[in-house]
Amino acid sequence: AVPKEIKVLMRDVLLVRYGEVFLKGANRPHFLKVLTDNVKRVVKPLGGHVWLSDSRVYVSDFNDLQACIDCVTKVFGVYSVSPAVEMEKDLDVIAEQCVRMMAPYSGTFKVLGKRSDKKFPMNSMELAAELGHRILEANSNLKVDVHRPQHKLTVEIRDNAYICVEEIMAVGGMPMGTGGKAALLLSGGIDSPVAGYQLMKRGVRLCAIHFQSPPYTGELARDKVMQLAKKLSAYSGGMKVYLVPFTKCQLEIHEKCPDGLGTLITRRFM
């Protein structure tokens, strides 16, 4: 038999899922635009192409898959990512790719079919059953377990077909920039960066303020603050840090204010 000619689309993509944004109702398009723009920003140095389609954000044309995963999983609003193969919606071609992707695995597995394109001849359950059957025929080291599988193969039928095995969890939360702006007092301890991270996770864009008192606080304290800000900026796409000289003010408070009110007055001046 002569194999039929198929114009095959096949390329590696990163499939990006979002979580809480689904709850935003009429505001959802705005949140999705912000999320997509944030993903575009972090993958731009990797040459990635980003687009939003049918409840998914996709990244393609990246030059380093692992670096792309590392960047995107730090974007607030992203629930999880999966390295996937994008291809034509031809059942035989899809099945061949599924067999190839499951070949290295052994143990139990499950096929999860998701059909958004209702013109596709099989529904989600039929697709999962057929692909599972073909995988079992090709790999005797695998067994089906639909309740607690060791491996899960997901096949999504959308504008194209998308096949993935691995799901990598991301930071979740809301897209950065959808929760307004705030200033974070960054002291150098653990409490302030944790508070900042929690705020950013709710979509708040931050700048940081550090009050320094040379010579009583030296360069090591300042460097520690800058290191903390750098760690936070990995999740925010950059952060301005304002270093405010505070020595003169502290000396005045120490000399002229009651001892019991020193901390309160210092914080008030800050």
Side-chain angles (χ1 to χ4, degrees):
V2 178
K4 58 183 178 180
E5 293 294 327
I6 303 173
K7 183 183 178 182
V8 178
L9 162 70
M10 187 175 295
R11 62 175 174 173
D12 293 328
V13 300
L14 191 66
L15 193 155
V16 182
R17 304 177 186 87
Y18 47 86
E20 289 186 66
V21 176
F22 274 115
L23 306 177
K24 289 302 171 182
N27 293 325
R28 191 185 304 164
H30 168 67
F31 281 79
L32 288 177
K33 182 182 184 305
V34 174
L35 177 62
T36 305
D37 289 343
N38 290 344
V39 174
K40 287 179 179 178
R41 172 177 48 78
V42 300
V43 303
K44 186 177 180 180
L46 303 172
H49 170 62
V50 180
W51 73 98
L52 172 69
S53 177
D54 195 16
S55 302
R56 289 284 186 269
V57 177
Y58 301 92
V59 186
S60 67
D61 303 328
F62 39 78
N63 53 39
D64 187 326
L65 173 60
Q66 188 57 53
C68 189
I69 291 172
D70 292 342
C71 290
V72 176
T73 51
K74 289 185 175 70
V75 175
F76 288 113
V78 175
Y79 174 76
S80 69
V81 302
S82 290
V85 175
E86 180 187 42
M87 57 196 314
E88 298 287 344
K89 293 179 287 189
D90 181 279
L91 179 61
D92 292 333
V93 179
I94 292 171
E96 182 180 347
Q97 180 63 25
C98 289
V99 169
R100 187 180 301 115
M101 291 174 70
M102 293 302 295
Y105 296 96
S106 60
T108 59
F109 81 106
K110 172 185 179 180
V111 178
L112 181 63
K114 297 182 179 180
R115 184 191 66 161
S116 295
D117 180 7
K118 303 306 179 184
K119 295 180 180 179
F120 192 77
M122 287 182 166
N123 63 33
S124 299
M125 295 289 289
E126 292 169 343
L127 177 64
E130 177 62 25
L131 294 176
H133 171 68
R134 298 199 191 190
I135 292 169
L136 282 174
E137 283 190 327
N139 190 343
S140 59
N141 294 322
L142 287 171
K143 294 182 179 180
V144 172
D145 184 345
V146 297
H147 300 293
R148 293 183 178 179
Q150 294 172 284
H151 315 290
K152 183 171 70 173
L153 176 75
T154 302
V155 180
E156 299 188 2
I157 306 297
R158 299 179 181 274
D159 296 334
N160 293 299
Y162 298 89
I163 308 171
C164 59
V165 180
E166 186 180 8
E167 182 175 4
I168 302 157
M169 303 310 295
V171 290
M174 299 302 297
M176 176 71 65
T178 58
K181 299 178 181 180
L184 173 70
L185 292 175
L186 201 54
S187 63
I190 189 62
D191 294 346
S192 50
V194 170
Y197 179 89
Q198 295 293 346
L199 279 168
M200 291 191 300
K201 193 172 183 178
R202 304 316 305 159
V204 179
R205 189 173 297 282
L206 297 178
C207 67
I209 302 173
H210 174 66
F211 292 92
Q212 55 183 356
S213 302
Y216 305 105
T217 58
E219 292 185 2
L220 287 177
R222 183 194 62 193
D223 291 345
K224 184 178 181 181
V225 166
M226 297 305 294
Q227 289 172 9
L228 290 171
K230 186 176 181 180
K231 288 182 179 293
L232 287 172
S233 69
Y235 297 87
S236 64
M239 175 185 293
K240 287 185 178 180
V241 180
Y242 297 92
L243 301 175
V244 182
F246 203 62
T247 306
K248 183 179 179 179
C249 188
Q250 279 188 302
L251 291 174
E252 291 285 322
I253 292 171
H254 178 70
E255 292 174 4
K256 299 178 180 179
C257 299
D259 291 340
L261 298 177
T263 299
L264 177 65
I265 295 172
T266 297
R267 291 180 176 175
R268 181 67 173 175
F269 269 92
M270 286 182 176

